[in-house]
Amino acid sequence: MIRKILVVLLVLNITACAELQQVVNQLPQGVGIGNDEIAAGLRQALDFGIEKQVTKLTQTDGFYKNDLVKILLPEELQKVDKGLRDIGLSKLADEGLKALNRAAEDAVKEATPIFVDAVKGITFADAKNILIGKDDAATQYLNSKTQTALYAKFNPVIKNSFSKVGADEIWTNLINKYNSIPFTADVNPDLTDYVTNEALKGVYTMIAVEEKEIRNNLSSRTTALLKKVFALQD
């Protein structure tokens, strides 16, 4: 009986070791490249995401005409949009949506340098795990490390942007029009928090677009560092 138990334990131990070895074998084993260099490559990919993709969001219609990040009304305000369109005020409803997106575009324009600094300060202790992770693993890591701080920066900019692009006036007019419709419940929303979160989501979405492109398209690895680092995950 004791011999049988020992045999079973030995088999289990061999199986466990094989599984562990399989996991190890999946890790990048590049020659002459360490975690620091991998981290630098990942930071460069994120920087490229900001430079190539996030800057698009700062342009006129950067949010409004980009289906990936266009800011729509929150669910509780969908009735406002529908109510206005039902009585022939589609143009006013469109202007309301455009104003929200203009505020986001304006905020990202002012806050992008803060985001760039956050990327530069990131050190990937688990760089290899991120490298062999999902197509947006670096972006998600960045999200988890920076979202709270960036929210604090974006929120006042969004609030100021509402005034700057006239969103506050447009929405006051829009809500007043809606509240004047017979048999509707009055609404008085504060959209600053909502648009701030949507703007942040848009930023991370566009960075993830570039990260995925670099991971999956060899021609997008435009520097020696990107080619060297991301070759490990191919």
Side-chain angles (χ1 to χ4, degrees), residues 5-21:
I5 293 175
L6 289 174
V7 170
V8 170
L9 290 175
L10 180 61
V11 171
L12 289 174
N13 186 54
I14 292 173
T15 302
C17 288
E19 290 176 348
L20 285 173
Q21 187 60 49

Side-chain angles (χ1 to χ4, degrees), residues 28-45:
Q29 300 295 325
V31 178
I33 183 169
N35 278 8
D36 288 344
E37 197 167 9
I38 293 174
L42 292 170
R43 284 197 298 271
Q44 188 172 95

Side-chain angles (χ1 to χ4, degrees), residues 139-208:
T139 303
Q140 289 302 319
Y141 183 87
L142 177 64
N143 186 327
S144 70
K145 295 297 182 180
T146 64
Q147 187 168 28
T148 300
L150 286 174
Y151 180 95
K153 297 294 185 181
F154 269 61
N155 191 264
V157 177
I158 290 285
K159 186 174 183 179
N160 290 334
S161 294
F162 274 150
S163 176
K164 182 178 178 181
V165 303
D168 49 354
E169 183 178 344
I170 290 172
W171 271 94
T172 296
N173 183 32
L174 189 151
I175 294 300
N176 286 339
K177 288 284 188 182
Y178 176 78
N179 287 342
S180 69
I181 300 174
F183 311 112
T184 59
D186 288 357
V187 294
N188 184 27
D190 176 7
L191 294 177
T192 303
D193 176 72
Y194 172 76
V195 175
T196 299
N197 282 314
E198 291 299 298
L200 283 171
K201 189 187 302 181
V203 167
Y204 291 120
T205 294
M206 297 311 294
I207 293 175

